[in-house]
């Protein structure tokens, strides 16, 4: 079974590539390395001891994408490739709509052409918007408040229309909550460009001395300690969720959407405390106002994935904190 992994050199894609290879799949990795390094490919090979083809191709380059399908018999696609920085999407919406939405359209068109009609897609809990109350269930109304979120919502709509128009398409739309952690080898992990937008890479960069202190965005939310609550999920659990979703669409017809989260919410203060405790490191913090667009509380109801995919997150918050730190401390400057 040959699986094309778009965005396979990225944070979640690389961990999923490892799981797929360990489950016995063959993979073809595709990435334009706009937000990742080619070194990731060597690391995946050294963790798994397996070889595979990798292509430096941009999804927007239709001809080169077709060549990948021409040269490889693909059975299904796991589609991670896309831009993900919320703030940047507000400043440069065209860049986001073009890369994420047009890129996905070109991919779907090419898949149709080569009669490959099975796809697992990376969506996000951001599609639940600001108005739903956690725990979030898949049937809740969707809305977004930034262009990045809108690209995810639009792509979900496109994929649903596609599967309605042609029942041969089998699609699994996965809404991730907050992935953190890293492979336990410490060889692959999250390597943000420049100043991190997300909490955990910020914490680990403070821990390793790249940054002086962490800024907490708001302590006046209606939560038990006033800081924002999120559903942090270990990236290896998330990767295993992809393997389960893939198995499902390979075996059975149909299109469906699943939350991939733990169902547990931790506040910013709690995450910092668990990180400090797990790794015996002090994280200096400072307080500022709320970050625009942030919700107070966001966590999943993960029950549907448990029932239908037979998947549940297994790693706890200590595993997440330890593994994030192992990656950062072994690779203080990321893949550089
Ligand atoms: P990432 O940036 O580490 O990985 C994405 C990969 O796609 C990168 O390696 C990048 O170089 C590549 N890429 C981007 N545009 C491309 C294009 N046009 N052609 C080929 N390759 C391209 O991000 P990630 O955290 O691994 O996220 C993977 C997916 O999951 C993204 O679609 C993201 O929106 C989604 N997601 C991420 C999170 C999160 O918190 N990390 C949460 C929800 C959803
Ligand atoms: N936070 C800080 N300081 C920081 C960074 C974050 O206090 O330096 C706080 C935020 O205000 C929030 C929490 O930490 O309360 C988590 O913030 P992240 O930026 O790590 O994660 P978000 O929940 O804001 O966003 C993430 C992804 C989005 C995705 C969303 C929903 O970045 O792409 O989860 O799944 F859409």
């Amino acid at each position: 079974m040959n699986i094309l992994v778009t965005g396979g050199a990225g944070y979640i894609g690389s961990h999923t590539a490892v799981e797929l290879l360990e489950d016995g799949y063959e993979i073809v990795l595709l990435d334009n390395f706009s937000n990742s390094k080619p070194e990731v490919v060597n690391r995946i090979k050294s963790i798994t001891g397996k070889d595979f083809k990798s292509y430096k191709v941009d999804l927007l380059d239709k001809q080169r994408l077709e060549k990948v399908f021409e040269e490889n018999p693909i059975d299904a696609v796991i589609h991670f490739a896309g831009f993900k920085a919320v703030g940047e999407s507000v400043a440069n919406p065209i860049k986001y709509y073009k890369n994420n939405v047009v890129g996905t359209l070109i991919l779907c068109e090419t898949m149709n052409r080569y009669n490959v009609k099975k796809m697992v897609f990376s969506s996000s809990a951001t599609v639940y918007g600001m108005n739903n109350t956690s725990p979030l269930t898949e049937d809740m109304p969707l809305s977004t408040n930034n262009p990045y979120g809108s690209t995810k919502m639009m792509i979900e709509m496109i994929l649903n229309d596609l599967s309605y128009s042609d029942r041969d398409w089998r699609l699994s739309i996965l809404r991730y909550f907050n992935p953190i952690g890293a492979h336990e080898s410490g060889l692959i992990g999250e390597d943000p460009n420049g100043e991190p937008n997300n909490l955990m890479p910020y914490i680990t960069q403070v821990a390793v001395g790249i940054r002086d202190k962490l800024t907490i965005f708001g302590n006046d939310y209606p939560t038990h300690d006033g800081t924002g609550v999120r559903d942090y999920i270990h990236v290896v659990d998330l990767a295993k969720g992809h393997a389960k979703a893939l198995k499902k669409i390979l075996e059975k017809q149909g299109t469906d959407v699943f939350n991939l989260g733990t169902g547990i919410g931790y506040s910013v203060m709690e995450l910092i405390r668990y990180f400090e405790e797990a790794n015996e490191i002090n994280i200096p913090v400072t307080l500022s106002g709320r970050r625009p667009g942030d919700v107070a509380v966001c966590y999943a109801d993960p029950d549907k994935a448990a029932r239908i995919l037979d998947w549940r997150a297994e790693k706890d918050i200590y595993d997440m904190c330890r593994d994030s730190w192992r990656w950062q401390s072994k690779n203080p400057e990321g893949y550089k």
Side-chain angles (χ1 to χ4, degrees):
M1 211 49 89
N2 215 358
I3 312 301
L4 175 67
V5 185
T6 78
Y11 174 44
I12 307 168
S14 56
H15 287 82
T16 303
V18 167
E19 288 305 315
L20 294 177
L21 290 164
E22 285 180 345
D23 282 355
Y25 291 101
E26 289 180 84
I27 66 163
V28 175
L29 188 148
L30 179 153
D31 206 297
N32 65 0
F33 302 107
S34 56
N35 197 37
S36 53
K37 306 275 179 345
E39 168 62 13
V40 177
V41 175
N42 301 328
R43 304 272 180 109
I44 297 169
K45 288 180 182 174
S46 97
I47 292 171
T48 60
K50 297 196 174 153
D51 201 11
F52 54 87
K53 277 206 239 176
S54 91
Y55 288 84
K56 183 175 184 214
V57 167
D58 193 311
L59 281 184
L60 296 171
D61 185 341
K62 199 169 174 202
Q63 271 155 15
R64 297 199 56 213
L65 182 62
E66 281 187 356
K67 201 153 176 279
V68 175
F69 281 80
E70 200 69 60
E71 290 177 3
N72 302 279
I74 305 290
D75 295 289
V77 176
I78 305 192
H79 176 32
F80 295 100
F83 294 148
K84 62 168 182 178
V86 174
E88 189 190 34
S89 80
V90 175
N92 198 346
I94 294 173
K95 176 176 173 183
Y96 273 68
Y97 288 114
K98 187 171 175 194
N99 195 57
N100 293 7
V101 181
V102 179
T104 302
L105 284 173
I106 291 173
L107 175 64
C108 290
E109 211 172 34
T110 309
M111 289 173 68
N112 241 337
R113 179 142 182 228
Y114 287 84
N115 204 28
V116 180
K117 296 185 176 178
K118 299 184 189 79
M119 184 201 279
V120 178
F121 172 65
S122 305
S123 188
S124 165
T126 193
V127 299
Y128 290 114
M130 312 281 284
N131 302 321
N132 291 305
T133 304
S134 293
L136 300 163
T137 53
E138 289 84 350
D139 53 2
M140 284 179 167
L142 307 186
S143 68
T144 63
N145 64 350
N146 62 73
Y148 164 70
S150 300
T151 68
K152 293 295 176 191
M153 211 169 91
M154 285 179 186
I155 295 168
E156 287 203 13
M157 289 164 71
I158 291 167
L159 297 181
N160 280 314
D161 288 344
L162 188 57
S163 82
Y164 186 75
S165 73
D166 176 354
R167 295 293 176 187
D168 286 345
W169 273 89
R170 300 180 188 188
L171 294 150
S172 192
I173 295 169
L174 306 180
R175 295 184 184 146
Y176 313 153
F177 283 69
N178 290 56
I180 59 171
H183 191 265
E184 63 177 9
S185 63
L187 286 173
I188 55 173
E190 188 169 12
D191 181 19
N193 269 335
E195 192 174 348
N197 299 305
N198 299 116
L199 181 58
M200 182 55 97
Y202 214 105
I203 292 176
T204 59
Q205 289 200 3
V206 171
V208 86
I210 296 174
R211 315 210 173 260
D212 292 342
K213 55 182 180 301
L214 170 78
T215 304
I216 297 176
F217 299 141
N219 67 345
D220 58 351
Y221 285 105
T223 61
H224 62 278
D225 62 16
T227 64
V229 167
R230 295 291 183 275
D231 185 338
Y232 297 97
I233 173 168
H234 197 294
V235 66
V236 170
D237 276 332
L238 195 65
K240 289 182 198 290
H242 289 74
K244 291 282 192 171
L246 175 66
K247 187 163 173 273
K248 189 84 192 167
I249 58 168
L250 289 173
E251 285 170 2
K252 258 188 100 176
Q253 263 186 316
T255 285
D256 217 338
V257 52
F258 300 98
N259 285 338
L260 294 187
T262 64
I264 304 167
Y266 290 103
S267 73
V268 175
M269 297 290 278
E270 283 172 330
L271 187 68
I272 297 166
R273 212 178 56 237
Y274 283 116
F275 184 92
E276 291 181 327
E277 211 177 293
N279 300 307
E280 296 177 0
I281 295 172
N282 179 48
I283 303 295
V285 298
T286 180
L287 267 171
S288 81
R290 294 182 181 192
R291 184 172 65 177
D294 275 358
V295 290
V297 177
C298 175
Y299 61 92
D301 178 338
D303 189 52
K304 186 175 172 191
R307 274 187 293 109
I308 299 178
L309 299 180
D310 185 30
W311 171 88
R312 256 187 203 290
E314 286 167 1
K315 293 180 183 282
D316 68 18
I317 198 76
Y318 287 105
D319 299 322
M320 300 182 215
C321 291
R322 268 195 300 264
D323 292 343
S324 289
W325 176 236
R326 185 181 303 110
W327 153 253
Q328 181 78 69
S329 53
K330 282 180 83 168
N331 307 268
E333 294 184 79
Y335 290 107
K336 243 178 258 166

